[in-house]
Structure formats: C-alpha cells, structure tokens
Amino acid sequence: MKVKHKVFSNLYQDSVSLMQISAQISALPGIQQASVVMGTSTNLEQLRDAGLGDDVKAGPNDLVIAVMGEDDICAEALDIAEHKLTNKPEEEGDDGIKAPDLVSIEMALEKDPDANLALISVPGDYAAAEAIKALNLGLNVMIFSDNVSIEQEKAIKILARERHRLVMGPDCGTAIINGIPLGFANVVNRGHIGVVGASGTGIQEVTCRIDQLGAGISQALGTGGHDLSEDIGGISMLSGLQSLAEDEATHVIVLISKPPSPAVAERILQLAQSAGKPVVVNFLGADPQTVTRPNVTAATTLASAADLAVALLNKRALSETKSQPSQQALNALQQASQRLSPTRQAIRGVFAGGTFCYEAQLICQQHGFTAASNTPVSGNHKLTSIWQSHSHTLIDMGDDDFTRGKPHPMIDPTLRNQRLLAELNDPQTAVALFDLVLGYGASEAPAAELLEQLARIDPRQAPLLIAHVCGTENDPQQRSRQVSALQEAGIIIADCNAQAAQWASIVAQIQIQKKGASA
C-alpha cells in the first residue's frame, strides 16, 4: 500500500464539506483510507496516528489530502478530491478556482444587515477569535468547530451573556433555527416545542420523535458537550432556556444532557421551574426524583422526553414510554431467538451516535448487564483495546479514537459497518445492536451500504440484529425507505434507541435462560 498526500496553501473548506469529500474518495476501490482536513497541529497529529502523514508539512490555513491504497488509485483519489475542492459545481459550466464572495463576518453583515446568526466552522485554533468578532458585531453564534479550549469557551460564553446573545457550541453539531436545519439535523415540522440540548444525536432523537408524534419544533438549540460542566456552568443552556421561555411560539420546553454537576443542575432546574411553561428534563441516567419539581417533569429516556413534551403540549395525561415490552414484542423476540445457539450470550452495540451508545449502556445496566465500552458510563468499564470486543460491549464509533483521519460514521459508515460485520462473525454474539442516523450531512444511502456488508453473512448462522432509525419522512434519505430495506433483510426495527437496547437485553436474558436449561 502507498501513502500519498497533497497540500493546498491558504485554501479553507468547512469540516462537513471535507468529511463528505473524504467519504467519497474513501469509497474508491483500492483505497484503504483517506482524509481531507485542514492542516492544524491536531489534524496533522491524527494523520500521523492513522499512518497517513508522517512527513506532511502544512499550516492551519492549508488544506491536506492524504490517501492510502494502491498506487494508481491514490493518484486518482487525489485528482478527484482536488477537483471537488477547487472547481465550481459542474452545472455552472465554469472551471477554475472559485474565489469566495465574502471573506469576513463584517463583509457578510454589510451585505445582509438583518442577519443575526453566525455559523462558525473553522479550525479550532481560530474559532474563538471568530466567535468573539461575531458577538461584538451583535450576532448570535453557532460554533461547529471543535478543539476549542475550556478557557476559550468560557470567555466566549461570558461575553455572550454580557451581550445578551446566544452561543451554541463549541462542537455544536445540530440545531434547528426558525425551521432551518443546521449541521447534522433533520427535516421536522414547525411547531410549539423548543429543545435545548448538550447532545447532537440527543436533539435529533427528540426532534424526530416529536415530528413522528404529529407535533413540531419551534427552535432546537445546541450547547456543545462541555456546557454543563462545572467550569462552564451551563451558560448556554441557561441562555437557551431563557430564550425559549420568552418565545411566544414555544409552549413546551425540553432540556437534554448527560447529568450535570449538582450545582449546575440546580441552577438549570431553578430557572426551569420559573419558566412559566412546562419543562421536560432528561439528564441521562439521573435519578428522576432529583429532577422533578413544580413545572418540571423528569424523563428517563430520549424517547420519553419527546412523548412527555407532546402530551404536555396537547394537555393529555402524562405517561412515559412503556417500561415493559408488550407481550407481542416478547413473543417475537422469543421466536427470533430460537435459532441461536445457547453459547451465544453477548450483546454487541455499534453506534454512530455517542448519546445513543450512552443511553444504551444505561438501559442494559438496568437489565443487569454490565458492558465494556470505549466511552463507558459509570459502572461500566473501559475496553482494553477499542478494536477488540469481549463479553457485552457497546462502542461509540463516532468517538475521536475512531475518527482520527477518517470521516464521522454518520457521513461515511464504512468503518462502522466493518465493525458490525466483525461482531456478527464473533461466535459469542447473541444480538448486534446499532443505529442508523439520517438527516442533512449524513450518508445518502446508509441502509444500502450496510446491507452490502451483511450480504456476506449467512442469516441462518448470524446473531439477531436490532436497529433504531433516527430520522423523518422528509429527510433526504426518507426514514420509511431505510426501515423497509432493513426489515426486508431480517433486521428487527425498534421505535427508538431505548427500546432497541431494551430488546437486546431481553434477547440476552433469553440466551442466559436457554444456556441454563441446557446445562
């Protein structure tokens, strides 16, 4: 295998575009791996770790294409990537380097004085400076960029609070503002439920389920994953909550996060209690009794957060997603498990969404199953090697350990699909659990790409597969089309991530009973 790279001086592209190009050239026959990134020190280190660039010389304003594969195909991949980076779309019929019309936030604001939001997707070393410029110009800010220090994030958010502006991020991958999906978001109905979340896939799950239940979203605001830490203090969530409390179009509010520190949680819950509107709070894994108070309803899963919000909106009696599966579901799982050997005992989860992996670990724990993970929840343990599962294992394939020098699995599911195939070939695996995340920026045909891999498996010898599809009918991939393709291949489809994890746990319990009976 050859490794080749090409560097373009002072050529910037946003990270979503770069990940999409990486995915396209990675799919070429003969390419083992490929990466298209800005030349920041972090990215260059990740290229070295991935074996793609020990000798790459580039600065943070430079763009790097690096490929590994067969010699001729590497050259072809470099040419394809260069064409996509430096040429206008073919339909414009005008070759040549495309110069941007606007090269600063100031120029953009002069052209459109009514703009009130800046979306920042630049190398992390520069994101803080651009965010501060935008705030000083009176704009709200969404920071898609990651690798922004905690100190910089706090400074940005304190300035935003002083300016009475909202900051989403850093590392905010999902938002819906005035009906416009930003980042990895889905096409959902407009409506009267507002969401503030410290998790991109958490926001996607809740907004999609609200859409499926016939309601809609007023605004969905991301905070970035560090916002509810003690260091940051929940500044963005507090600001977003206050904004939705004052928004006439928002009648019910949903808050989503992993459990904050007790002091931060108390500040958020006090504001929620006084919001003047019903607030549903899902602090994943938190004791509902520590959350519930007047005007605040605790949800124990992402799906139940959506269910409760819709019930409150429609002034119906509150009921969470059923904690116990229906008898029909139990019978179906029992029947499907009959063909499994008693030696198959393990739950294997392979996720593109980090919050889905987190929630699934909690659900499996509730059913008595301690698991290993590269991102373990409290009570679970960290994998010795992220490349080797053992016993019950649930993996977040979107974690940095897997995405260094590679596209995120929501954009290019190749690595995730390969890992899922490996779990299916493991004789210990009883049930393989996975997610399929749709929406803007995600793979155009995720089910088709997965089924190509699964065609290599004899279904009579394989473990059970249980999936959850996060998306809507109006997404580019159309949820029902993806669900039908998976079901035709014999994959069991759950209504939500929590239900999928519950069903996987039930299969594991059936296998334990089967092994005991055969002993």
Side-chain angles (χ1 to χ4, degrees):
M1 290 289 176
K2 295 286 187 180
V3 175
K4 295 186 177 182
H5 69 266
K6 193 165 187 177
V7 177
F8 297 85
S9 298
N10 296 312
L11 177 62
Y12 173 74
Q13 295 278 342
D14 70 86
S15 55
V16 173
S17 298
L18 297 184
M19 286 189 286
Q20 290 172 334
I21 294 171
S22 296
Q24 291 167 3
I25 62 175
S26 294
L28 293 173
I31 293 296
Q32 183 171 325
Q33 59 177 315
S35 184
V36 186
V37 295
M38 298 303 298
T40 65
S41 57
T42 300
N43 286 339
L44 294 181
E45 181 181 353
Q46 291 176 348
L47 289 178
R48 287 192 292 272
D49 291 344
L52 285 172
D54 289 335
D55 57 346
V56 175
K57 306 296 183 186
N61 292 322
D62 302 334
L63 192 146
V64 181
I65 309 170
V67 294
M68 177 189 293
E70 298 172 7
D71 195 4
D72 292 344
I73 302 301
C74 284
E76 179 184 347
L78 290 176
D79 289 342
I80 291 172
E82 180 177 357
H83 177 81
K84 291 180 177 297
L85 289 165
T86 61
N87 285 271
K88 291 183 178 182
E90 293 180 3
E91 60 268 23
E92 294 184 15
D94 185 12
D95 293 334
I97 295 176
K98 180 180 180 181
D101 296 328
L102 304 171
V103 295
S104 71
I105 297 173
E106 292 91 338
M107 289 179 64
L109 198 55
E110 287 176 7
K111 184 175 181 180
D112 187 358
D114 293 330
N116 63 6
L117 174 69
L119 172 56
I120 296 174
S121 178
V122 299
D125 294 341
Y126 301 93
E130 294 303 316
I132 289 171
K133 289 177 189 176
L135 290 168
N136 284 328
L137 289 167
L139 298 171
N140 300 291
V141 175
M142 175 176 174
I143 308 174
F144 190 87
S145 311
D146 57 6
N147 296 313
V148 177
S149 71
I150 291 293
E151 294 76 18
Q152 288 176 323
E153 178 174 348
K154 187 171 185 178
I156 293 166
K157 291 185 172 180
I158 289 174
L159 177 62
R161 185 170 59 191
E162 293 171 353
R163 296 284 194 273
H164 303 290
R165 292 294 180 265
L166 175 67
V167 170
M168 297 182 286
D171 200 17
C172 176
T174 301
I176 302 173
I177 307 297
N178 295 334
I180 305 299
L182 299 175
F184 296 105
N186 303 86
V187 184
V188 300
N189 292 322
R190 294 296 304 277
H192 300 295
I193 299 176
V195 180
V196 188
S199 157
T201 47
I203 291 175
Q204 288 186 266
E205 173 87 325
V206 170
T207 56
C208 288
R209 189 169 178 89
I210 287 170
D211 178 271
Q212 292 159 14
L213 293 170
I217 301 300
S218 57
Q219 310 288 345
L221 311 175
T223 70
H226 298 297
D227 186 68
L228 280 79
S229 67
E230 191 68 43
D231 289 331
I232 306 299
I235 293 174
S236 287
M237 181 162 282
L238 290 166
S239 178
L241 173 56
Q242 186 63 48
S243 296
L244 294 179
E246 296 170 358
D247 178 31
E248 292 183 359
T250 300
H251 300 170
V252 177
I253 300 170
V254 180
L255 306 180
I256 308 162
S257 174
K258 295 173 185 176
S261 72
V264 175
E266 186 58 30
R267 287 197 292 272
I268 291 168
L269 293 171
Q270 284 181 3
L271 182 58
Q273 186 174 345
S274 62
K277 301 174 181 180
V279 180
V280 177
V281 177
N282 180 19
F283 290 157
L284 281 161
D287 182 351
Q289 293 184 352
T290 66
V291 173
T292 302
R293 57 191 64 196
N295 200 52
V296 178
T297 304
T300 57
T301 65
L302 296 168
S304 68
D307 296 349
L308 290 167
V310 173
L312 287 164
L313 180 69
N314 295 326
K315 295 180 170 51
R316 294 199 307 261
L318 300 184
S319 60
E320 284 220 42
T321 304
K322 292 180 180 179
S323 58
Q324 298 299 322
S326 68
Q327 189 60 50
Q328 182 181 5
L330 284 171
N331 292 341
L333 293 171
Q334 185 76 49
Q335 182 176 1
S337 301
Q338 287 180 358
R339 63 176 175 78
L340 297 179
S341 165
T343 59
R344 290 189 176 272
Q345 297 278 300
I347 302 170
R348 298 288 168 80
V350 186
F351 296 89
T355 299
F356 294 148
C357 182
Y358 191 96
E359 183 180 57
Q361 290 183 67
L362 295 174
I363 299 294
C364 290
Q365 276 188 349
Q366 292 167 12
H367 287 78
F369 296 106
T370 300
S373 178
N374 59 323
T375 56
V377 302
S378 177
N380 282 354
H381 53 278
K382 197 169 184 67
L383 277 172
T384 304
S385 167
I386 63 171
W387 303 104
Q388 183 61 53
S389 299
H390 60 84
S391 188
H392 307 300
T393 301
L394 287 85
I395 295 289
D396 171 14
M397 296 295 294
D399 186 65
D400 289 347
D401 287 338
F402 290 105
T403 57
R404 287 192 181 98
K406 300 179 181 66
H408 192 281
M410 285 167 56
I411 295 174
D412 178 10
T414 301
L415 190 63
R416 194 283 295 272
N417 293 345
Q418 291 171 351
R419 179 58 175 262
L420 186 58
L421 190 66
E423 304 295 3
L424 293 174
N425 283 320
D426 188 329
Q428 293 184 8
T429 305
V431 54
L433 177 64
F434 67 97
D435 57 0
L436 217 63
V437 186
L438 314 181
Y440 287 115
S443 169
E444 295 179 358
E449 295 173 35
L450 175 61
L451 294 177
E452 287 179 9
Q453 295 284 334
L454 297 185
R456 306 176 188 181
I457 298 287
D458 182 350
R460 295 168 298 179
Q461 303 297 322
L464 298 188
L465 285 103
I466 298 178
H468 140 250
V469 180
C470 178
T472 71
E473 283 304 285
N474 290 318
D475 280 334
Q477 304 88 348
Q478 191 179 24
R479 184 176 184 273
S480 61
R481 187 166 70 242
Q482 305 303 317
V483 168
S484 295
L486 295 175
Q487 287 178 327
E488 288 173 8
I491 297 170
I492 300 168
I493 305 299
D495 289 337
C496 62
N497 183 66
Q499 186 182 70
Q502 180 192 58
W503 287 359
S505 300
I506 290 170
V507 171
Q509 290 170 340
I510 291 171
Q511 289 300 100
I512 290 172
Q513 294 169 1
K514 188 187 297 183
K515 187 174 183 179
S518 63

